[in-house]
Amino acid sequence: MRLHVYQHVAFEGPALIADWAAARALPLVLHRLFDGEPPALPTPDEALIVLGGPMGVHDEASCPWLVAEKAAIRKALTMGCPVFGICLGAQLLAHVLGARVYRNSEREIGWFPVASAQSGWPLPERFTPLHWHGDTFDLPEGAQSLGSSTLTRHQGFAWRDQALALQFHLEATPDWLDGLIQHGADELAGGGQFVQPPAALQAERRHFEANRELCFALLDRWLALSPAAPGRGHPAHK
């Protein structure tokens, strides 16, 4: 089964997701939307991953490819494909599903704990992922919250038995984080109660290994939603 990945900026790639896909012998196809590549649709037997990025879901004037991307995500959901959204990808999922996406009261950039909800997903009661976002969302109708942080009420959600959305970055690696620090210097310079400086971001690398295990466990659980997974049939199309 192939995994289609929508990428929004060159410095925010799939990171650990690529490692997980390689370990599971799953072909991963990158669609560099920022480079003019169209958001090719997965087939009903494939899956879609939507990565993060510094733009917002309403920035269609500066990022016109967002229009086609939203349509593709909506179509993938209609076809019954499993969809996994991270940060901007989670916000796009919420938006496509009819929820409000808006500026949070503050930026949340750094290693901050998340208290998980009782959701049936393999999330510990409390864990510390990497955050890098300024927007947030309301919970879409029919979605189940996956947890919250001190600043952000909804750190993720599961929608029906098909879509998974995470505001935080379990896919982060040390090199990936270095790229975000380099390209997100302006956001870090703005400071704030929930914005850690580069030295603090780099000092907390002890979290990477635990988050790697959590990332792989969540992706395995998400992949099991695919109609192509063993023991599952094709979805009923409407």
Side-chain angles (χ1 to χ4, degrees):
M1 183 186 69
R2 289 196 306 175
L3 305 172
H4 293 264
V5 179
Y6 294 169
Q7 184 175 351
H8 303 107
V9 284
F11 58 86
E12 201 162 339
L16 273 184
I17 295 172
D19 294 348
W20 166 80
R24 304 297 186 263
L26 296 168
L28 189 151
V29 184
L30 276 177
H31 305 281
R32 296 163 60 92
L33 307 188
F34 63 94
D35 225 8
E37 294 183 21
L41 271 174
T43 69
D45 288 338
E46 297 174 332
L48 174 62
I49 297 172
V50 187
L51 300 179
M55 62 288 298
V57 302
H58 306 296
D59 291 344
E60 295 176 353
S62 56
C63 304
W65 40 262
L66 280 167
V67 177
E69 181 179 17
K70 291 175 186 178
I73 294 170
R74 187 175 292 109
K75 181 66 174 176
L77 290 170
T78 301
M79 291 192 303
C81 298
V83 181
F84 180 27
I86 303 167
C87 198
L88 172 62
Q91 295 156 16
L92 283 165
L93 260 175
H95 176 74
V96 165
L97 290 170
R100 186 170 66 111
V101 180
Y102 51 96
R103 180 67 61 181
N104 207 351
S105 58
E106 297 186 48
R107 284 195 181 102
E108 189 171 28
I109 302 176
W111 300 96
F112 299 110
V114 169
S116 65
Q118 296 299 314
S119 62
W121 288 81
L123 290 168
E125 184 176 338
R126 191 174 178 85
F127 58 99
T128 304
L130 177 69
H131 305 262
W132 199 300
H133 56 91
D135 289 350
T136 188
F137 48 74
D138 292 336
L139 205 61
E141 184 177 352
Q144 179 185 26
S145 179
L146 295 180
S148 61
S149 64
T150 300
L151 177 65
T152 305
R153 182 181 180 187
H154 299 302
Q155 281 288 352
F157 64 84
W159 181 75
R160 299 182 179 175
D161 195 20
Q162 183 180 358
L164 177 66
L166 303 178
Q167 279 274 51
F168 46 85
H169 293 279
L170 291 179
E171 83 281 13
T173 63
D175 288 345
W176 185 94
L177 174 57
D178 289 344
L180 250 66
I181 291 172
Q182 177 184 351
H183 290 90
D186 290 346
E187 293 178 272
L188 294 173
Q193 181 181 357
F194 296 95
V195 176
Q196 295 176 344
L201 286 167
Q202 293 171 324
E204 293 294 326
R205 298 188 176 219
R206 59 192 171 90
H207 297 299
F208 278 121
E209 189 55 39
N211 284 338
R212 177 186 177 89
E213 294 180 13
L214 184 52
C215 181
F216 275 44
L218 272 176
L219 286 167
D220 285 340
R221 169 70 174 84
W222 168 75
L223 186 67
L225 301 178
S226 170
R232 288 181 61 94
H234 291 268
H237 301 302
K238 298 181 180 179

